Amino acid sequence: MERKSKGDIIVGLCFVVAGLAFLAGGVSLGISGKAAVPGPGPGFFPALCAVFSIFFGLWIAIEAVKKGSVDFFGTDPEQLSNGKLIAFVTAVFILFMALWYFLNFYVGVAALCLLYNFAFGRTWKFNLIFSAVILGLLYFIFERLLSVQFTI
Amino acid sequence: MDMSLWIQGFLSIMTPEVLIFNFAGVVIGIVIGALPGLSATMAIAILTPITFWFEPSCGFAMLIGVWNSAIFAGGISAVIINTPGTPASIASTFDGYQLFRQGKGGLALGINCIFSVAGGVVSTLFLIFLAFPIASFTVKFGPTEYFMLALFGLTMMISCSGNNVVKGMAMGFAGLMLSTVGVDPMLAVKRFTLDTTALVAGVSFLPVMIGMFGIGEVLNQIYEHKKSVEARELKLASSAAGNLGRILPSLKQLLGLVRPAAIASAESAVIGAIPAAGGDIASIICWGQAKKLSKHPEEYGKGSVEGFAVSCTANNGVLGGALTTMLTLGIPGDAVTAILIGSLMMYGMQPGPKMFTDNADFVVQIMQLMLLSNVAILIFGLITAKASAKILNARPETVWVAVCVLCAVGSYALNNSFSDVIIMGLAGIAGFFFKRGGYAPGPFILGLLLGGMLESNLRRALVLSQGSLMIFVERPVTLVLLILIVLTLFYPLIKKRFITKAK
């Protein structure tokens, strides 16, 4: 059975939802200015952009329903299997940020490098050397030379 | 032009620190430009927050060096593996790879270096001679002109970035919406901050840019990666080193290329000045034009030395034009100048006519750094032409890990803010999905960058006119820009309709 892509419908609706949120916010901030302050209010520009975002979002979604959506991910089996790798890469990046926030930046970078190289099929030897070099360069260039502190 | 300013500028860049930073930038740019998948935009986006820690002249020396050399180096992979190192080198693949297959790879690399520098130098002269007169003209601009200019820039980006104008418009307005997060520019009222202090300063466009062009691009490359294609490219790259032949063209070949290169330089400098028209557009247009004017058009696309030289001239020839628009009008000429605007603002400078009065010395330094970078590229590029092909032996997986780490570091270093890293990560994921769906990130980024300028000038204009929209047609420059905007947006639709009717 041919897989029907819904990518453009989802993206179009995302533009509509974002637009509605900004439109509601803009209206509550005030479209027109107060008597003491002439000119458009703080909500004017966000509301204006929101209207266009809703309009074009609906256009994209309706065209996708009528004519079909762009296939976001294709049908190549090798590419589709890379989707799992994408999910893993994203999860590791979130882990890196969590480790940085709760523990230490360098622990996060070490975990990121080790896990990424493992996922990309690099040898353990390369993995360890690469991670050590990256950590060393970051420490030397940023902390020692540029005095950038990675503490949160 | 004040000669003392030029002498002072020259003396201030001829210091060991500035020269070292510029040279380091050239080397970094060559590595990044030669590797497919890494672009000058990505490199500048990641390096900009890092250069904040240096003196402005050193920081800009590095960025200008990276920018010029990355564009030139895109031709290296175009020649060796038929894959442009940067989008600007797309036209270089038409003839460059054919030259390599004919055993003239070394000649192609030499021509890439010489004519990229030629294009860069001519466009820098364009910048030097035209920037100050344009700046003195734009001093007269009011809020209506600035509003229309920003809108024109956004419209050009929308029309130049993909086949679907509607998707481009949606992205542009989404970027404009996001630019309203923070504090109202005129009334200092908090908007859409979700009661968090992190969003009070707004969504900084640099982390978004690093995310979309860095992480988003890496995720896309991971998704599209095929082991069979990688194996072929690595084999091509490793076999290239011994098979390149001589690097320098003969004097007769060089003289024969002067006329087409000169025409391409002038064309590309003008194209570069148009907002959103970058090296990719310029090199394709110039290649097409040169083919029409050539005595041997049948050779184009089959290893024409002339065609290749023209494409190399054009892709670096846009840089001076883009910088002219950025410095004089505060409107980015392309994605890199959009980031350079952010970089200038980090140093407390505002691009636009005021740059030429308040920071004229720095403007002159930028112009001289452009020339200096081209000299460095010519020397370094020719000496290392054959060795530079070895850069392509680097496995993409190594690059992906390094880019992810640098994106996190770059986005954090901007404001020492972890929130920027979160924004960068979210932008990266969004950038991946947008890329898959054919949604160009350019209009989104530009909307985010120009939103403040658009809003404040629109509101000022409406205050001046007491709410009347007629102010946008009464002033001549504004009216001309409005007509250009309408034509830019509706011309593709009208053309499509005519073609359909004719069929």
Side-chain angles (χ1 to χ4, degrees):
Chain A
M1 195 164 92
E2 202 182 69
R3 186 171 56 91
K4 258 189 159 182
S5 175
K6 296 190 180 78
D8 279 336
I9 301 172
I10 295 170
V11 174
L13 290 176
C14 286
F15 283 123
V16 171
V17 167
L20 287 168
F22 275 84
L23 182 62
V27 167
S28 69
L29 282 165
I31 304 288
S32 52
K34 297 186 170 49
V37 182
F44 168 74
F45 193 73
L48 180 67
C49 296
V51 165
F52 281 107
S53 179
I54 293 166
F55 174 73
F56 287 112
L58 280 172
W59 188 330
I60 290 168
I62 291 168
E63 245 197 36
V65 167
K66 278 163 67 175
K67 295 180 188 171
S69 166
V70 163
D71 194 349
F72 276 43
F73 299 106
T75 51
D76 189 316
E78 195 175 349
Q79 281 189 352
L80 287 171
S81 70
N82 286 339
K84 289 181 197 160
L85 190 52
I86 296 282
F88 180 78
V89 163
T90 308
V92 167
F93 198 83
I94 295 170
L95 173 68
F96 152 68
M97 286 172 51
L99 286 171
W100 181 358
Y101 190 81
F102 292 110
L103 284 178
N104 178 275
F105 170 72
Y106 295 102
V107 170
V109 170
L112 184 133
C113 290
L114 289 168
L115 288 168
Y116 274 1
N117 281 319
F118 168 74
F120 297 145
R122 310 310 293 268
T123 61
W124 275 108
K125 189 177 165 188
F126 174 88
N127 199 348
L128 289 168
I129 294 170
F130 179 90
S131 304
V133 167
I134 288 276
L135 285 168
L137 283 172
L138 285 175
Y139 175 73
F140 178 69
I141 293 172
F142 288 94
E143 286 228 18
R144 296 303 296 265
L145 269 181
L146 301 176
S147 304
V148 176
Q149 300 295 319
F150 290 110
T151 47
I152 295 168
Chain B
M1 279 186 274
D2 185 356
M3 277 315 292
S4 63
L5 212 57
W6 287 89
I7 296 167
Q8 200 184 331
F10 182 75
L11 291 172
S12 54
I13 66 166
M14 283 294 137
T15 57
E17 301 88 45
V18 172
L19 291 174
I20 287 170
F21 274 94
N22 185 249
F23 190 72
V26 165
V27 171
I28 293 169
I30 288 176
V31 172
I32 287 179
L35 287 169
L38 295 186
S39 60
T41 310
M42 190 197 280
I44 302 278
I46 293 171
L47 281 172
T48 293
I50 295 167
T51 58
F52 174 66
W53 301 91
F54 310 138
E55 284 291 312
S57 47
C58 292
F60 249 77
M62 181 176 262
L63 294 178
I64 298 284
V66 169
W67 186 25
N68 281 271
S69 61
I71 302 292
F72 135 72
I76 296 172
S77 56
V79 168
I80 308 280
I81 56 171
N82 198 24
T83 305
T86 62
S89 306
I90 285 170
S92 300
T93 59
F94 299 165
D95 289 295
Y97 183 60
Q98 298 304 322
L99 282 167
F100 172 68
R101 289 181 68 186
Q102 292 165 16
K104 297 178 192 169
L107 177 66
L109 292 177
I111 287 174
N112 178 41
C113 182
I114 293 167
F115 286 91
S116 295
V117 165
V121 167
V122 169
S123 73
T124 305
L125 293 173
F126 176 94
L127 166 70
I128 289 169
F129 288 108
L130 293 181
F132 281 90
I134 292 173
S136 54
F137 174 70
T138 60
V139 159
K140 299 167 198 152
F141 281 10
T144 53
E145 284 82 9
Y146 278 112
F147 169 73
M148 279 299 168
L149 260 175
L151 195 59
F152 177 62
L154 188 57
T155 311
M156 285 300 297
M157 180 65 85
I158 289 167
S159 64
C160 290
S161 55
N163 293 326
N164 196 319
V165 172
V166 175
K167 285 184 178 180
M169 295 284 274
M171 290 291 277
F173 281 107
L176 287 173
M177 273 189 331
L178 199 61
S179 75
T180 61
V181 173
V183 172
D184 181 294
M186 295 179 78
L187 299 170
V189 170
K190 281 191 213 169
R191 297 186 300 194
F192 310 109
T193 56
L194 305 174
D195 283 333
T196 59
T197 46
L199 290 177
V200 170
V203 175
S204 178
F205 97 100
L206 256 175
V208 173
M209 191 132 195
I210 292 172
M212 284 196 162
F213 284 101
I215 300 286
E217 182 56 38
V218 164
L219 289 176
N220 192 54
Q221 284 181 29
I222 292 173
Y223 186 75
E224 291 187 342
H225 181 61
K226 287 186 188 177
K227 288 190 167 42
S228 53
V229 172
E230 184 196 349
R232 181 188 70 85
E233 287 179 359
L234 274 172
K235 195 177 165 190
L236 269 172
S238 34
S239 71
N243 299 329
L244 291 172
R246 58 173 286 171
I247 300 287
L248 290 175
S250 64
L251 186 62
K252 189 181 172 190
Q253 277 176 320
L254 261 180
L255 291 173
L257 297 171
V258 166
R259 186 176 156 271
I263 297 171
S265 304
E267 277 179 340
S268 54
V270 171
I271 293 170
I274 299 169
D280 46 353
I281 293 169
S283 57
I284 291 170
I285 290 174
C286 291
W287 187 89
Q289 281 294 104
K291 186 178 175 184
K292 284 180 198 165
L293 297 171
S294 173
K295 290 175 189 166
H296 302 283
E298 71 284 354
E299 289 176 11
Y300 277 61
K302 294 173 189 160
S304 164
V305 170
E306 186 181 284
F308 183 66
V310 160
S311 61
C312 296
T313 309
N315 63 22
N316 274 72
V318 295
L319 305 192
L323 213 43
T324 306
T325 307
M326 187 270 273
L327 289 172
T328 57
L329 303 171
I331 306 282
D334 63 3
V336 169
T337 43
I339 306 170
L340 291 178
I341 288 177
S343 186
L344 283 170
M345 286 163 69
M346 261 179 4
Y347 291 124
M349 298 182 230
Q350 182 61 46
K354 270 193 173 181
M355 275 289 288
F356 293 77
T357 48
D358 300 349
N359 304 103
D361 53 340
F362 195 70
V363 170
V364 166
Q365 279 183 33
I366 290 174
M367 294 172 179
Q368 291 171 337
L369 283 169
M370 287 285 287
L371 289 172
L372 179 68
S373 300
N374 280 290
V375 170
I377 289 166
L378 185 66
I379 297 168
F380 192 73
L382 285 176
I383 291 170
T384 60
K386 285 191 181 178
S388 59
K390 290 190 181 158
I391 295 169
L392 298 167
N393 288 335
R395 287 198 34 195
E397 292 88 344
T398 313
V399 172
W400 295 338
V401 181
V403 167
C404 287
V405 172
L406 286 172
C407 284
V409 167
S411 51
Y412 178 81
L414 183 65
N415 291 313
N416 273 20
S417 164
F418 191 73
S419 316
D420 283 344
V421 182
I422 296 172
I423 288 169
M424 185 277 299
L426 290 170
I429 294 168
F432 168 64
F433 285 107
F434 285 142
K435 184 125 186 160
R436 297 308 314 159
Y439 292 82
F444 183 86
I445 300 285
L446 209 58
L448 185 57
L449 179 68
L450 294 177
M453 183 179 174
L454 267 164
E455 180 181 6
S456 51
N457 285 294
L458 172 64
R459 287 165 70 179
R460 271 191 210 115
L462 290 173
V463 168
L464 281 171
S465 66
Q466 292 175 331
S468 167
L469 293 173
M470 289 306 293
I471 194 171
F472 295 107
V473 296
E474 284 164 359
R475 294 170 70 100
V477 172
T478 314
L479 182 60
V480 166
L481 286 168
L482 181 61
I483 292 168
L484 285 172
I485 288 167
V486 169
L487 280 174
T488 307
L489 282 176
F490 290 104
Y491 174 69
L493 293 168
I494 296 166
K495 187 178 167 188
K496 202 175 165 184
R497 186 147 273 203
F498 271 120
I499 290 171
T500 313
K501 269 193 177 169
K503 278 183 183 168

